[in-house]
Amino acid sequence: MELKRERDICILAHSYMCEEICEVADFTGDSYALSVKAKNAPQSTVIMCGVRFMAETVKMLSPQKKVILANPAAGCPMAEQFDKEVIGEVKKMYPDYAVVAYVNTTAELKTIADVCVTSSSAVKICRALPDKNILFIPDINLGTYVKNQVPEKNFKLLSGGCPTHAKIEKSDVLTAKSAHPAALFLVHPECRPEVVALADYVGSTSGIMDFAEKSDGKEFIIGTENSIVQHLQFKCPEKKFYPLSKDLVCHNMKITTLPDVLSCVLGRGGEEIVMDEKLRVQAVKCIERMIELGG
Ligand code: 13P
Ligand code: SF4
C-alpha cells in the first residue's frame, strides 16, 4: 500500500479479480465504473487488473498516464471475435444503422463505432441515442437483452458472445433453482436469453452485487463469474450465495495473481500499453460518448 503511494500508482481491479487483489486495489468495479475512474484517477501510473480491452480503455482516456496490464496474457476472447474489416463490411450492408460496440472490443474496432456501451449502460445509451437503427456488436446475448428493453428501436445483431456466460443453459438454471428454491436468481446479460428470462434481476457485475447487498432476500443464485459469489459471501456473511454453475469461470480473468500485481508495482512486470496516437484519438470518441450519454 505504502509502495503504491510512493510510486504514484493507482490499482484498478475488475470485480472478477480474486479477493486478495481487490483488497490492494484503489478501486474495484464493473467495466463502466472502471472507465469513469480511469478518466479521473490523479495518479501518473495505472495498473489494470482485468483484461486487455480494459487496460486499452484506460490508455485511451488517459494517454499521458503510464498504463500497465497486470498480466499480459489476460485477454477477452469476445473482444477478438470480429475485426475492423469484417465489421466494416457489415456496416456497408446497413449504412443507416449506428454502430453500438460493447466495450469488450479492440481499440481498432472501436475506431468505427458510433458509441461504446457496457453491460450496465447499454440500455440507457441505446435509448438515449438519437438513431432509430442500431447495429449492436459483438455480443448477441447482451444485444438481445437490450433489444427487448428498447422495443422502440430497430436492432441488427451479430453472433458474437462471451464463451464463459454463453455456455450456461436453461437446464443449469432449473437445476440450481430446484436445489435452492428460496433463492433469488441474479444474472449477467451476457447469458443466453432463455437463461436471462428466468432471472429475478439482470445486471452488470456491480449491479448484481449492489442488488444482493441491498435486497431483503437471504439466498441468491449468482449467474455470472464465480468470483462474484466469493465477494458477496465475504461482504454479506449473513446471506447465502450459490454459483449458478461450477463452470462459470473466466480463465482470462483468473490469470492475474497478487504476485503479478506486486511485480507491476515494483516496475518488473506486466505490459505497458502503447497505442498509436491516431488510433487512440479515433477510438476514444466512442468511449467519451458513452461516458457523456451514460452519466
Ligand atoms: P461488466 O460490465 O459487468 O463488468 O462485465 C464485464 C465482463 O467482461 C463480463 O463478462
Ligand atoms: Fe470476456 Fe467473458 Fe471473460 Fe468477461 S467473462 S472477460 S466477456 S471472456
Side-chain angles (χ1 to χ4, degrees):
M1 289 290 193
E2 199 49 43
L3 204 54
K4 71 175 182 180
R5 263 189 294 276
E6 263 170 35
R7 298 186 175 206
D8 199 28
I9 290 172
C10 169
I11 301 179
L12 298 180
H14 186 265
S15 325
Y16 288 161
M17 292 294 111
C18 60
E19 199 62 49
E20 57 202 17
I21 291 181
C22 293
E23 273 175 29
V24 299
D26 294 272
F27 183 78
T28 308
D30 65 7
S31 41
Y32 185 77
L34 290 178
S35 309
V36 177
K37 278 282 162 189
K39 197 171 156 70
N40 301 330
Q43 293 89 343
S44 56
T45 299
V46 175
I47 297 174
M48 171 54 77
C49 307
V51 288
R52 185 169 292 273
F53 76 80
M54 296 177 177
E56 287 183 350
T57 303
V58 178
K59 186 67 188 174
M60 283 180 222
L61 289 166
S62 304
Q64 74 289 1
K65 289 181 192 159
K66 183 172 182 177
V67 179
I68 297 171
L69 175 61
N71 187 318
C76 167
M78 174 169 13
E80 310 287 337
Q81 278 164 350
F82 295 103
D83 61 23
K84 191 180 160 187
E85 283 64 43
V86 171
I87 299 299
E89 288 305 311
V90 181
K91 260 177 79 131
K92 281 186 205 154
M93 289 162 64
Y94 303 108
D96 53 344
Y97 278 66
V99 178
V100 175
Y102 194 18
V103 71
N104 301 38
T105 40
T106 59
E108 218 196 5
L109 191 46
K110 287 186 176 85
T111 62
I112 55 167
D114 294 291
V115 67
C116 228
V117 294
T118 66
S119 54
S120 56
S121 62
V123 170
K124 185 176 179 186
I125 289 171
C126 287
R127 271 194 197 124
L129 270 184
D131 313 76
K132 177 93 176 149
N133 299 329
I134 292 174
L135 172 62
F136 192 98
I137 61 169
D139 187 348
I140 192 166
N141 291 339
L142 177 63
T144 303
Y145 174 69
V146 177
K147 178 180 169 191
N148 291 339
Q149 303 297 310
V150 191
E152 66 276 20
K153 301 221 169 168
N154 305 318
F155 283 80
K156 294 282 178 211
L157 307 176
L158 297 187
S159 58
C162 163
T164 304
H165 288 83
K167 70 182 168 208
I168 299 303
E169 295 180 6
K170 184 177 174 182
S171 58
D172 294 309
V173 185
L174 299 178
T175 305
K177 277 181 175 255
S178 71
H180 309 291
L184 292 173
F185 173 43
L186 319 183
V187 81
H188 198 283
E190 286 176 10
C191 285
R192 298 180 192 191
E194 61 270 29
V195 169
V196 169
L198 297 173
D200 297 292
Y201 172 80
V202 185
S204 72
T205 49
S206 297
I208 289 175
M209 290 180 76
D210 283 352
F211 181 93
E213 282 176 58
K214 290 179 188 148
S215 167
D216 292 333
K218 296 281 172 264
E219 295 180 59
F220 304 87
I221 297 163
I222 303 298
T224 192
E225 218 280 340
N226 283 339
S227 50
I228 302 298
V229 179
Q230 284 176 12
H231 296 323
L232 280 169
Q233 199 59 76
F234 191 71
K235 278 177 187 262
C236 313
E238 72 291 357
K239 298 181 178 178
K240 284 189 174 163
F241 299 95
Y242 311 109
L244 169 57
S245 158
K246 65 174 178 31
D247 296 330
L248 253 169
V249 175
C250 172
H251 296 287
N252 298 280
M253 284 284 187
K254 287 285 158 292
I255 222 166
T256 304
T257 61
L258 189 59
D260 289 337
V261 183
L262 179 61
S263 302
C264 293
V265 173
L266 293 171
R268 298 187 202 132
E271 179 185 321
E272 182 174 351
I273 303 293
V274 180
M275 197 174 289
D276 174 72
E277 183 57 10
K278 212 167 137 217
L279 169 75
R280 187 197 72 79
V281 169
Q282 196 54 36
V284 78
K285 286 182 194 161
C286 67
I287 298 177
E288 291 193 319
R289 194 161 183 220
M290 166 179 84
I291 295 175
E292 188 189 303
L293 292 171

